[in-house]
Amino acid sequence: MANSERLTRRAPAKINLGLHVLRKRDDGYHDIETVFHRIGWSDVVSVEPADRLSMTCSDPDLPTDEANLCMQAALDLQDAAGVMAGAQIHLEKRVPYGAGLGGGSSDAAITLLLLADLWLSADDAGELPRAEVHAMLRDVAAGVGSDVPFFLEDLPAAYATGRGEILEPLRAEVGGFELDAPLVVVVPPVEVSTPDAYGRVTPRENERPDLRSLVASADVTRWRRELVNDFSATVLDAYPEVASAHDMLVEMGASYVSLSGSGSAVYGVFDDSTNADAAEVQARARGYEVGRGV
Ligand code: C5P
C-alpha cells in the first residue's frame, strides 16, 4: 500500500562556509568548491495523495506551476520513476528567497524525499531498493539545481565540488563537521541574481587554501584570514545594502562575517550569545529578516 496520509517535513536553509569559483565550464556553469552548512531557518513542505499534481504556497508572490522548483522536482520524479499518481504539495515559505540561503533548493529536495515516501513507499509491490531510490533522487535533484542534492542528505555540513552537486562529508571519520557557535543570519531587503553574480566574478587561478581542513579546523582566527567567498568583493561592491549588513555584523562583534552563496544574506559567527542577541535586535531594527542558530 502506498501512503495515504499527509506527510510533512521541515526544509532547512544553508549557509556557505567559504566558496571558491574555480573556472567557467563549456556548459555555461562554473566549477566551484564550497562547504554547505545546514541552518535552523526552515520552510515547511507537505504532500498528500491526489489524482493529479498541484501545488499551493503560503507566499502569493511565488509561482505554483513548474516555475516553482518543488513542482519541477515533482514532475521530474514522476518521469524518472514512471509514476502515474499525483500529489497535492503545500509550501509554507519562511526563508527569504534570492538570498543565497538555498531555500528553493531545499524545498525541492524535501519535496523529492516526501514524494518518494508517498509514491515509492517500502511496502509497495515492486518496491525499489532504498539505495536505488536515493540514487534516482540524487539524479533528479542535480537536474533541478546545483544546490538541491545537498538537501537530500542527512548531513549538517558537506564539502561540495562540480557545480555544487558532488558531495563529501567533512571529516567523515568523526561523522561530519558541525558548527558549534552562535550564528546570526541577516537578509537585507535586496535580491541578488545568482546568474548575474556568476557573470561578474573572475574565477580564481590555482592558489587557494584547502577548504576542507580550513573549515574543519573551526579556528575562527584562521577563518577571518583565509576563509573567502569569491562573490564577496563584487557583490558587496554592487549592492551597498549588503555591504552595510556585513559591516553591521562586524561592528556588533561577530568573530567571522561572510556572504552566503551569492547573497544577499550575510551571516556572523559569534563567540557568545549576548553579542549575537544584540546583533539580532540591531538587524531587526534595520528591517532585515533574521535567522538564528545552526
Ligand atoms: O543550478 P542552478 O539552477 O541553481 O543555477 C542557476 C544559475 O547560476 C545557472 O544558470 C548559472 O548561470 C549559474 N551557476 C553557475 N555555476 C554553478 C551554479 C550556478 O554558473 N556552479
Side-chain angles (χ1 to χ4, degrees):
M1 273 278 296
N3 264 305
S4 58
E5 311 213 325
R6 184 183 172 97
L7 307 174
T8 300
R9 275 177 81 143
R10 280 155 40 95
K14 59 82 179 163
I15 54 172
N16 296 78
L17 297 172
L19 193 164
H20 298 157
V21 180
L22 303 179
R23 67 193 72 82
K24 184 153 192 214
R25 311 180 346 172
D26 292 340
D27 63 6
Y29 283 91
H30 292 75
D31 277 328
I32 63 165
E33 66 170 352
T34 186
V35 172
F36 291 122
H37 200 300
R38 206 168 52 197
I39 59 173
W41 212 355
S42 305
D43 295 331
V44 181
V45 184
S46 58
V47 303
E48 54 191 320
D51 291 338
R52 53 182 209 92
L53 199 54
S54 64
M55 177 181 178
T56 53
C57 180
S58 61
D59 184 337
D61 291 340
L62 286 179
T64 51
D65 59 9
E66 61 276 10
N68 191 301
L69 293 187
C70 294
M71 278 297 272
Q72 197 187 316
L75 287 162
D76 290 354
L77 182 60
Q78 270 185 328
D79 273 357
V83 167
M84 306 299 287
Q88 168 67 43
I89 303 167
H90 180 71
L91 172 61
E92 270 308 306
K93 197 73 195 157
R94 296 176 184 164
V95 177
Y97 38 87
L101 297 173
S105 299
S106 181
D107 300 337
I110 299 305
T111 300
L112 288 175
L113 291 172
L114 289 170
L115 289 177
D117 283 349
L118 195 70
W119 290 338
L120 313 168
S121 69
D123 53 353
D124 260 352
E127 89 196 51
L128 290 169
R130 272 187 101 74
E132 223 172 282
V133 170
H134 203 72
M136 186 196 302
L137 296 184
R138 274 205 299 265
D139 276 354
V140 171
V144 174
S146 309
D147 293 357
V148 182
F150 169 64
F151 296 104
L152 288 178
E153 308 303 330
D154 191 18
L155 287 172
Y159 172 70
T161 55
R163 290 188 285 129
E165 86 286 18
I166 302 169
L167 301 167
E168 278 173 49
L170 262 188
R171 295 176 66 192
E173 73 283 5
V174 291
F177 165 84
E178 189 160 4
L179 188 63
D180 180 24
L183 176 77
V184 181
V185 183
V186 306
V187 181
V190 57
E191 271 185 54
V192 176
S193 145
T194 302
D196 276 4
Y198 272 105
R200 286 173 209 256
V201 81
T202 311
R204 59 166 68 212
E205 301 299 326
N206 292 325
E207 200 195 321
R208 60 184 200 268
D210 177 346
L211 201 53
R212 267 170 295 193
S213 62
L214 177 56
V215 171
S217 75
D219 178 344
V220 179
T221 310
R222 271 192 71 200
W223 284 13
R224 249 198 323 268
R225 258 195 334 259
E226 298 173 55
L227 189 58
V228 172
N229 177 326
D230 285 347
F231 290 116
S232 267
T234 47
V235 170
L236 296 191
D237 204 40
Y239 297 87
E241 301 92 332
V242 182
S244 167
H246 178 281
D247 293 349
M248 185 213 81
L249 289 170
V250 174
E251 281 156 22
M252 296 304 290
S255 43
Y256 177 72
V257 179
S258 175
L259 193 69
S260 182
S262 54
S264 60
V266 288
Y267 63 86
V269 178
F270 288 79
D271 293 333
D272 68 84
S273 51
T274 311
N275 280 351
D277 291 347
E280 177 177 357
V281 170
Q282 179 74 13
R284 290 198 191 280
R286 287 183 173 210
Y288 301 162
E289 295 196 71
V290 183
R292 286 292 297 271
V294 284

